[in-house]
Amino acid sequence: MKILIVEDEPTLRTSLADYLRQDGYVIELAANYAQAHEKIKLYQYDCVLLDLTLPDGNGLNLLRTLKADSSPAGVLVVSARDALDDKVLGLELGADDYLAKPFHLSELSARLRAIIRRRNFQGNRHILFQELTVFPDQGQVLVKGEPVALTRKEYDLLLYLLAHPGRVLTKESIAEHVWGDAADAADSFDFIYTHLKNLRKKLQEKGAGDYIRTIYGMGYKLSVE
């Protein structure tokens, strides 16, 4: 899952990034309005952690931009502005949740997981797809009830495919979503094939069907067809 943290305070930005990376998220950072605006225009995220008071703009305008662009990203506002009017306005503009500073990182993480469950997996704590069962909160993958040991990237790939069943995902979108900013430095996206090959092998060895389709010249999709 890919998260954009929009936060101008360096210590808090680093603390959030470190904590959420430990939870397995792919993290990108924006320290001001301009950086955040560029990123939400170029890339897609599962959720945006949005500070409202930025040195060069109002975070609410970023929220308006996300909604105007019909972005699928969830939005969790994290702000020192804890007046009732600010909270109501943020939620009415389309934020999924509003957390006033200061907050405990564990609470932020729980709210973030809840947003992603609602947006990507219909609020379910586990995902079912044929013989596969995935528990995102635990990072656990089962095939016919038996656990499968995946690398971090193999797991992230599987979760991204499960969030978009039946949809063709380009190599570019997969690289951006699973590898984040690191994908920009890649000369090609051939490394995706290797990770998907290993993922397919591990799932099939446990008895799963091969549901990851290669769509030549386009990308990949998860399908039972």
Side-chain angles (χ1 to χ4, degrees):
M1 295 287 110
K2 186 179 175 185
I3 309 297
L4 174 63
I5 298 174
V6 183
E7 172 59 59
D8 66 312
E9 205 285 307
T11 301
L12 179 56
R13 187 171 64 246
T14 300
S15 176
L16 287 170
D18 290 346
Y19 187 86
L20 293 177
R21 284 192 179 108
Q22 289 177 9
D23 276 354
Y25 294 105
V26 175
I27 301 297
E28 292 190 6
L29 302 172
N32 55 48
Y33 183 96
Q35 289 177 6
H37 189 266
E38 181 180 16
K39 282 185 171 292
I40 63 175
K41 282 291 188 181
L42 289 175
Y43 307 115
Q44 287 195 354
Y45 299 91
D46 291 294
C47 194
V48 177
L49 301 188
L50 181 62
D51 187 13
L52 297 186
T53 307
L54 299 169
D56 54 344
N58 186 335
L60 287 177
N61 288 331
L62 293 171
L63 177 55
R64 291 186 176 97
T65 298
L66 285 163
K67 297 307 171 184
D69 292 345
S70 300
S71 168
V75 178
L76 172 54
V77 174
V78 286
S79 177
R81 292 157 53 176
D82 63 349
L84 179 59
D85 287 348
D86 290 325
K87 295 178 181 177
V88 170
L89 179 57
L91 294 170
E92 287 187 341
L93 286 175
D96 296 270
D97 201 354
Y98 194 113
L99 186 59
K101 298 176 182 176
F103 51 80
H104 290 285
L105 290 172
S106 58
E107 181 181 2
L108 178 134
S109 181
R111 289 175 182 252
L112 183 58
R113 287 196 299 272
I115 290 172
I116 291 174
R117 277 199 303 270
R118 288 197 300 270
R119 288 203 157 252
N120 291 1
F121 307 116
Q122 294 76 52
N124 295 316
R125 290 185 175 276
H126 65 279
I127 306 159
L128 293 173
F129 186 89
Q130 300 298 313
E131 304 90 354
L132 297 171
T133 308
V134 178
F135 295 87
D137 289 356
Q138 291 79 36
Q140 186 179 34
V141 178
L142 306 177
V143 173
K144 298 180 178 179
E146 294 296 321
V148 184
L150 301 178
T151 66
R152 182 76 242 176
K153 291 306 178 189
E154 290 163 1
Y155 173 79
D156 289 345
L157 280 167
L158 177 61
L159 209 57
Y160 188 47
L161 289 165
L162 287 168
H164 304 88
R167 176 179 159 189
V168 178
L169 302 172
T170 66
K171 292 179 182 178
E172 289 83 356
S173 70
I174 293 172
E176 288 170 2
H177 201 88
V178 176
W179 278 267
D181 285 335
D184 292 339
D187 295 328
S188 75
F189 299 129
D190 292 344
F191 58 89
I192 295 173
Y193 170 80
T194 302
H195 288 278
L196 282 174
K197 179 182 175 182
N198 293 336
L199 172 61
R200 282 168 156 156
K201 181 181 178 182
K202 289 181 179 180
L203 295 177
Q204 289 178 66
E205 283 177 348
K206 291 290 185 178
D210 184 10
Y211 305 117
I212 302 174
R213 312 296 185 200
T214 301
I215 311 299
Y216 291 100
M218 298 179 68
Y220 302 91
K221 75 173 181 179
L222 188 70
S223 173
V224 296
E225 298 175 352

